Amino acid sequence: MVHLKKNLMQNDAVCFLKQQLGLKYNKRSLYEKIENFRCYADNVQHIWGSECHVPPFTCRFSHADPTVVALADEDGTVRLFDTLSDPLVRVKQWSAHSNAVFDVSWMPGERKLVTASGDQTAALWDIVNEKRITVFKGHTSSIKSLDFVRGSQHVLVTCSRDGSIMIWDTRANRRDDHNAPVNIIAKAHACPQSTTTPKQRKKTASETNRQGVTCVVSQGDNIIFSAGAVDGVVKAWDLRKTYSFVNTNPLPMCKFPYAGTGIRKHGFSNLTFDSTYSCLFANCMDDVIYMYNTANYTPQPVARFTGHQNSSFYVKSSISPNDEFFYNRVER
């Protein structure tokens, strides 16, 4: 859990923003809220590979079965657990990819799951019948994040280390053995070239234009947000616009510039919304979680959460359903 300063200035900022937006909020002390928060050792689930423990990379609760959580690991295995059981009961397990699974997303209202992998593909799975429905092919490097477009069971977005964001529709662009993207935002987070000589520009051009996109999340109304590994910018994109034929760096509908204090810009490891989709939390590699007001797209963060260390792009975060708790891995 993110450690906050004792004066709870960040918590006050969250409450203030919700008050301005006419949303419900509870301004109880953080320490009152977590007084009975406990983690018990007998609830720990060890993830075993073929020979040793393997690190889990992501977990998501099902929309159709709210007590079922999907957990994916470095070996490409997906496990489903029933969180109501004590101890946890693994209800299903299968090898989804030949490489690590970095993210998963449940199809809204369905017992279907999409996995994003280091093998450069994503796959849609039918959990009930235990079969793969389709594969999404188009990326040329590891897929780091994905999300269903809010309000749709068919449209989803993925982002990759290849520097692109791809939009998919399970009903369209079907090939013999896979689905192809219906829209592509290439060079989504490419940094401007800072070199001056033609020789230097030629040497760094391919690297600059292929800087990875680390996270993508849907806000709704065909709007998605993304962040990259290097440029330090959070961008919003309108999916109603066709980006596939853009030869230059694409223009987002809006962007939040790097809000850190140092000269060097830092990338982001995670983006997540609150339940109202008006507050966006961005985990930055400068050890700050920035909170943005996405109701009116204010470019500067309205709050900053500190007290943790974020030295890995594997660090993720989550918000409780009632928006009172923000969870994040803390490194010591």
Side-chain angles (χ1 to χ4, degrees), residues 53-234:
H53 285 105
V54 293
F57 283 157
T58 186
C59 62
R60 300 267 183 156
F61 277 94
S62 167
H63 304 290
D65 302 298
T67 63
V68 174
V69 64
L71 186 147
D73 65 29
E74 186 181 51
D75 281 351
T77 301
V78 177
R79 297 170 176 84
L80 304 185
F81 293 95
D82 179 4
T83 58
L84 282 184
S85 59
D86 188 14
L88 288 177
V89 172
R90 186 176 65 234
V91 294
K92 287 184 185 295
Q93 174 178 328
W94 71 97
S95 179
H97 295 268
S98 59
N99 205 317
V101 174
F102 293 113
D103 201 6
V104 298
S105 183
W106 290 90
M107 179 181 285
E110 297 286 339
R111 293 180 173 88
K112 297 176 181 178
L113 179 75
V114 179
T115 52
S117 173
D119 65 8
Q120 306 177 10
T121 69
L124 175 62
W125 302 89
D126 183 335
I127 304 302
V128 175
N129 297 313
E130 301 183 358
K131 68 176 184 179
R132 188 177 67 187
I133 299 174
T134 189
V135 179
F136 304 96
K137 293 183 179 180
H139 284 293
T140 58
S141 191
S142 301
I143 301 178
K144 306 301 292 185
S145 177
L146 81 158
D147 195 18
F148 272 93
V149 172
R150 186 176 168 219
S152 174
Q153 291 185 330
H154 304 286
V155 182
L156 63 147
V157 292
T158 59
C159 66
S160 169
R161 289 184 63 188
D162 63 16
S164 68
I165 299 170
M166 293 190 179
I167 299 91
W168 316 80
D169 190 327
T170 59
R171 304 161 298 185
N173 275 18
R174 179 68 182 175
R175 303 294 190 262
D176 291 338
D177 62 344
H178 67 278
N179 279 72
V182 296
N183 201 354
I184 302 174
I185 308 174
K187 306 176 187 178
H189 286 270
C191 293
Q193 294 182 3
S194 59
T195 55
T196 56
T197 69
K199 184 177 180 180
Q200 289 173 319
R201 283 195 293 269
K202 183 177 180 180
K203 180 179 179 181
T204 61
S206 61
E207 299 173 356
T208 301
N209 292 330
R210 288 170 61 88
Q211 288 165 343
V213 186
T214 54
C215 38
V216 63
V217 64
S218 170
Q219 183 187 24
D221 295 327
N222 291 300
I223 305 301
I224 63 170
F225 281 81
S226 66
V230 179
D231 65 342
V233 180
V234 176

